[in-house]
Structures are given as C-alpha cells and as structure tokens.
Amino acid sequence: MMMKISCLKYKFLIAFICVLGISQAQNNTDFRAWSSFEISSSLTKKLSLSLKTQARYFNQLTQLNGVFYSLDANRKIKKKWSLEGGVRFNTSNKWNAFRMRIGVVKKLKINKIEFSIRGLYQVQLNEFGFHENYRNIPIFSARFKIQAERKLIKHLKIKLFSEPLWRKEGAEVYLRRIRNSIGLSYELNKNLNADISYLFQPQFYPSKIVNIFSFALSYELPKMNKKKGKKKVEDPQLK
C-alpha cells in the first residue's frame, strides 16, 4: 500500500513538472502575423521612395499589436552600393513610437543567386520621448542583414535572410534578437508583387521565441515616359 502511494506521488510530481514545462514553453513562445501594403516610385535613375503601412498581430494572433507607417528612401551612390534611410511612426497597445534610421546596402550576384548586405543604425523614441516612464530616453539599435534570393520559375523567387539586432539603452549594449526568414515572392504583374514568408525570431533579455507569418503586397508606380518633342518641319520655301 505504501509503495502504491509512493508511486502515485512520483506520478503526480512528473505530471506537475510536465504541465509546468508546457505552460512555461507557451509563455516563452508567441505566434504573430504581419500584413502590409507598400507603394514605391522611382523619382530618378538613382533615387526611389516608398510608403508602407503594416498591421501586426501578437499574443497567439489574438490582439492587434499596432499599425506601422513608414516612409523610406533609397539612393544609389555608385555601382551596387546605395544609401537607405527612413522614418516610421507606429501605434501600439503600450505607447506610440517614432523611429529614424539610416544605413548602407551592397548588392552582388553570384551565379543565379542575388545577395544583399545591409547595415542600419536607428534611433527610436517611445511616445516621442515624452512618456512618463521613458522621458527623453532614446533607444539606439544597430542591425546587420544578409539576404539571398533566387528565381525558381518564371515570376517566382525564393528569399532567405538573417538579421541580428544589437540595442543600446542607457549604458547597456546587448543582442536583442535575431530575425530569420524564408519566403516566396510572386510577380502578379509588371508592377505588383505578393510576398508570403515565415520568420523565426529568438529574442533575448527577456528570452522569448517568436514565430511570425507575413503577407505583403507591393506596388511600383509606372515610370513616367518623357514625351519626345515633335520634329520641326522646315518650310521648303525658306531653304
């Protein structure tokens, strides 16, 4: 009888540990979804602008985390090199935020694979720096992204990237997260693209695993064709 009670105790202990482990794993894992629409335009041969809006859902897809509005610019500085910068405003379930960023991009092609390497430096202000708990404390971040893409069939590409982000808050500098992605990009027509991707994002301090499913539409405005001037017809009598 005592042996049966002892066995039951161990079974209850094991069951409790398993339930606790599952609960802890759920608390440290979140499933999220992003949906976005972007419009871009080439102002000149070297300068392009894009405007993007994005909705983000979190907490196992049950809550809207915020809506993000971005304005970005890209300018070619020499062959395969370009400067990138932009501003972003986002609403949030905690507080609104404003972010500015600037960086450099390098593109190259090896066989049939297109690579891009991007380094960004950004500054973010929560509630524009006037929140009672974060008054005038900017958050600085550095991001380094490596991306590869390859055409699979006509109009369809596969894309992969990895991007660690380091953050500086006050005197502390730490690795905040590593964002990894695999996705497909399909050209619906000459100016419209659809992208679907899965992002796996380990976060640190506090530790958390974030799984993100993303769907994005991007539209490039048609380039304006310059009207060719009509050739002047000379009057034969004036020759």
Side-chain angles (χ1 to χ4, degrees):
M1 185 69 178
M2 292 297 294
M3 185 176 294
K4 288 183 179 180
I5 294 174
S6 180
C7 289
L8 283 173
K9 286 182 179 178
Y10 283 117
K11 287 179 181 179
F12 279 121
L13 179 61
I14 292 170
F16 175 76
I17 292 172
C18 290
V19 170
L20 184 64
I22 293 170
S23 175
Q24 188 68 22
Q26 289 177 341
N27 291 334
N28 289 333
T29 303
D30 192 14
F31 288 91
R32 303 179 182 181
W34 297 350
S35 61
S36 64
F37 179 68
E38 181 178 13
I39 296 177
S40 61
S41 177
S42 296
L43 302 183
T44 66
K45 289 183 178 180
K46 293 185 177 182
L47 180 64
S48 62
L49 290 176
S50 66
L51 182 64
K52 179 179 177 180
T53 180
Q54 183 184 69
R56 296 184 179 184
Y57 297 85
F58 79 129
N59 196 17
Q60 318 304 336
L61 311 180
T62 60
Q63 291 179 281
L64 178 65
N65 191 28
V67 181
F68 296 70
Y69 306 93
S70 305
L71 176 64
D72 294 292
N74 183 288
R75 191 184 190 284
K76 294 180 181 178
I77 49 178
K78 61 179 184 178
K79 189 177 180 181
K80 298 180 181 180
W81 288 88
S82 60
L83 287 174
E84 184 177 298
V87 293
R88 188 185 77 180
F89 168 76
N90 69 277
T91 61
S92 171
N93 63 326
K94 291 183 179 180
W95 48 68
N96 300 334
F98 179 74
R99 188 187 74 181
M100 299 170 286
R101 66 178 190 170
I102 189 168
V104 63
V105 183
K106 164 74 172 179
K107 292 186 177 181
L108 63 154
K109 189 172 183 178
I110 301 175
N111 295 327
K112 295 182 179 181
I113 304 177
E114 297 179 3
F115 291 93
S116 65
I117 302 170
R118 185 185 72 178
L120 281 177
Y121 184 74
Q122 63 189 40
V123 182
Q124 179 169 309
L125 296 173
N126 293 324
E127 288 291 348
F128 302 98
F130 297 108
H131 190 274
E132 59 182 0
N133 296 323
Y134 290 87
R135 191 183 303 271
N136 299 322
I137 302 177
I139 300 172
F140 301 95
S141 300
R143 302 163 64 166
F144 185 77
K145 179 179 177 181
I146 301 177
Q147 177 172 292
E149 60 180 76
R150 189 185 190 280
K151 183 181 287 187
L152 298 177
I153 57 174
K154 188 177 181 181
H155 303 306
L156 182 66
K157 288 183 178 181
I158 184 171
K159 295 182 178 181
L160 301 97
F161 77 75
S162 182
E163 184 188 49
L165 179 146
W166 289 269
R167 179 163 290 174
K168 181 179 184 297
E169 294 186 66
E172 185 180 7
V173 179
Y174 58 95
L175 178 62
R176 178 67 178 90
R177 53 95 172 147
I178 302 175
R179 181 174 293 168
N180 307 286
S181 172
I182 180 169
L184 296 172
S185 177
Y186 185 75
E187 186 181 82
L188 298 173
N189 59 45
K190 185 178 179 181
N191 301 98
L192 185 64
N193 275 58
D195 292 75
I196 185 168
S197 57
Y198 163 71
L199 296 91
F200 175 73
Q201 181 174 292
Q203 294 184 178
F204 315 102
Y205 308 105
S207 178
K208 194 178 190 70
I209 297 295
V210 178
N211 300 279
I212 305 167
F213 299 94
S214 174
F215 177 74
L217 283 174
S218 57
Y219 179 75
E220 184 176 0
L221 294 174
K223 295 180 180 179
M224 299 294 291
N225 294 323
K226 294 182 180 179
K227 294 181 180 180
K228 295 182 179 180
K230 294 182 180 179
K231 293 183 178 179
K232 187 176 179 181
V233 179
E234 295 184 2
D235 189 339
Q237 296 180 358
L238 299 175
K239 286 186 177 180

